[in-house]
Amino acid sequence: MPTGIIESLDHEARGITRLEGKTIFVEGGLPGEYVEYSCYRKKPTFEIARIERIIEASASRIEPKCPHFGVCGGCSMQHFEPSAQVAAKQRLLESNLWHLGRLVAGQIYAPIQGMAWGYRFRARLSARMVQKKGGMLIGFHERKSSYVADMQQCPNLPRHVSDLLLPLRRLISDLSINAAMPQIEVAVGETMTALVLRILEPINAADEGLLRDFADRHGIVFYLQPKGPSSAFRFYPLDERRLSYLLPDYGIEHGFSPTEFTQVNHAINRVLVRRAMTLLDARAGERIADMFCGLGNFSLPIARSGARVAGIEGSPELVRRAGENAAANGLTDRVEYGVANLFEATPESLAALGHFDKMLIDPPREGAVELVKSIGEREGEGGPRRIVYVSCNPATLARDAAILVHQKGYGLSGAGVVNMFPNTSHVESIALFDKG
Ligand SMILES: C[S@@+](CC[C@H](N)C(=O)[O-])C[C@H]1O[C@@H](n2cnc3c(N)ncnc32)[C@H](O)[C@@H]1O
């Protein structure tokens, strides 16, 4: 059986080794480890392998905290000591910038990291009746499969949500529509926890009673979602509590609905916003764009600095929410929001928004290629002099950064990782681009 030394991790947290010039992705292998492996998928340029024996283990290999680790697809790095996870993510960011963008950041920022457990304030769980596994299962999907993991706990979820997993199984199996309730979305706010039940059929009076009773007993709020995310409505209890998260440094409270996008890790988000604000260095009198602004996570802190903000976002619901949040925080005079599909941005559509001194870009995984291509393309419009780019995919960040640097004349002043999703392979990062 072949042996090899793991050189680094790929974007799915698989170890990388080489055999006769071929790349081998070794699942579960950690950098520096000497392992014996067997390949189970062979392609002309690479192979995928599993570990048969660890001959020399990494000093950063630890015992996974969760008994479901390895089966559940919710995370893939629990066997790797948390600060070593961050270092590996940092290396992945730097290697993407170099290999995909031929870029080296002027400065590597200290990683933003926090609690390794109990951080995940949003989650989408699947529910499925599986008789041969004893009934109702509620959890993330198993790794590389559409089966629902037999999940009894999850240390990445806040403790009170993890503790609900088994009671929820009993509740959902008692509902008359237990075969027509495929998903439970969890959203945790400052003062309440919401569970959104995706219902494919109407519930009956007995179901309503069971849900009310469960909500009272566990202090949660149920929403029902008969169709798409915007059809979700609050079912019980209809009290004063509302979902929100705080940005105490800026005296801001963002309200949200449980199916709307919010950053999953509220503690890290506070530090991320602070880092973005430091890099943006927003000043009174400036006009700043917040591209892919969502519900205004960055827009309102920018507005607090005295600058004027234009937030652009593709979801009309989020734009409406952003407007409500601006009003609730007394900032309507400094922010304007608009709906636009930024994947179809053109030099003309960008120019129509007017001049921006600075820009913050926080796109989904696909990145912002059309937007960055459109920057500074109009006669007499040089584009913003500073861009802060928050990314959840280092590959698209590197691609977009290459355009900003090699075509648009920006310098990549700095970049760093943000461990928004500990124990998973997701790499969140932040980069600063300056002109002149
Ligand atoms: C990573 S989130 C960032 C949201 C916000 N900045 C925050 O911190 O909460 C990306 C946002 O891009 C929006 N989005 C996705 N595709 C888009 C598109 N084609 N045009 C404009 N916005 C889009 C999503 O609705 C989402 O709000």
Side-chain angles (χ1 to χ4, degrees), residues 261 263 292-294 297-298 313-314 318 340-343 362-364:
F261 177 91
Q263 304 281 354
F292 304 90
C293 67
N297 186 40
F298 295 102
E313 158 64 46
L318 280 173
N341 181 354
L342 290 169
F343 290 168
D362 180 17

Side-chain angles (χ1 to χ4, degrees), residues 141-400:
H141 285 167
E142 290 184 355
R143 284 180 65 204
K144 289 186 271 177
S145 117
S146 59
Y147 293 144
V148 177
D150 185 353
M151 197 167 114
Q152 318 219 349
Q153 55 171 281
C154 173
N156 291 328
L157 293 174
R159 181 63 191 266
H160 74 283
V161 178
S162 174
D163 287 348
L164 285 178
L165 290 171
L166 292 180
L168 267 173
R169 282 188 185 197
R170 289 190 286 277
L171 169 75
I172 305 301
S173 41
D174 287 347
L175 296 180
S176 70
I177 59 156
N178 59 21
M181 218 245 45
Q183 180 185 293
I184 303 173
E185 203 148 349
V186 181
V188 179
E190 297 288 337
T191 57
M192 71 174 246
T193 295
L195 298 180
V196 185
L197 306 183
R198 174 80 177 93
I199 50 167
L200 304 179
E201 291 168 17
I203 57 171
N204 64 25
D207 296 334
E208 290 187 11
L210 289 171
L211 293 180
R212 288 199 180 95
D213 185 49
F214 187 97
D216 288 341
R217 228 163 343 113
H218 296 284
I220 56 102
V221 176
F222 274 121
Y223 285 66
L224 298 177
Q225 184 191 324
K227 291 203 165 67
S230 58
S231 71
F233 65 93
R234 188 164 175 155
F235 169 68
Y236 182 83
L238 301 173
D239 55 23
E240 292 301 298
R241 285 176 295 168
R242 59 194 282 274
L243 279 174
S244 72
Y245 69 91
L246 299 173
L247 296 175
D249 290 350
Y250 303 95
I252 286 164
E253 180 170 18
H254 282 291
F256 63 98
S257 127
T259 53
E260 287 169 352
F261 177 91
T262 50
Q263 304 281 354
V264 294
N265 185 330
H266 290 186
I268 290 295
N269 182 52
R270 288 179 183 179
V271 191
L272 170 65
V273 170
R274 211 181 311 135
R275 169 76 56 89
M277 288 299 293
T278 306
L279 296 179
L280 206 54
D281 190 24
R283 307 277 173 100
E286 289 178 337
R287 184 162 185 265
I288 299 181
D290 180 8
M291 297 300 196
F292 304 90
C293 67
L295 49 59
N297 186 40
F298 295 102
S299 312
L300 296 191
I302 297 171
R304 253 312 171 245
S305 71
R308 282 176 301 130
V309 189
I312 308 294
E313 158 64 46
S315 152
E317 289 85 13
L318 280 173
V319 166
R320 203 171 318 121
R321 178 74 58 194
E324 285 170 19
N325 282 331
N329 287 281
L331 288 165
T332 35
D333 54 338
R334 269 178 249 148
V335 294
E336 45 179 326
Y337 288 113
V339 181
N341 181 354
L342 290 169
F343 290 168
E344 293 175 358
T346 60
E348 291 69 34
S349 69
L350 190 57
L353 296 172
H355 171 76
F356 294 113
D357 299 291
K358 294 171 182 170
M359 183 178 283
L360 186 136
I361 307 178
D362 180 17
R365 292 188 61 73
E366 294 89 334
V369 68
E370 295 307 328
L371 174 65
V372 297
K373 277 190 198 161
S374 304
I375 288 174
E377 282 297 306
R378 287 282 290 246
E379 205 52 43
E381 167 58 57
R385 66 177 183 282
R386 172 163 282 205
I387 297 174
V388 173
Y389 192 131
V390 177
S391 157
C392 55
N393 181 348
T396 52
L397 169 64
R399 176 201 63 197
D400 296 349

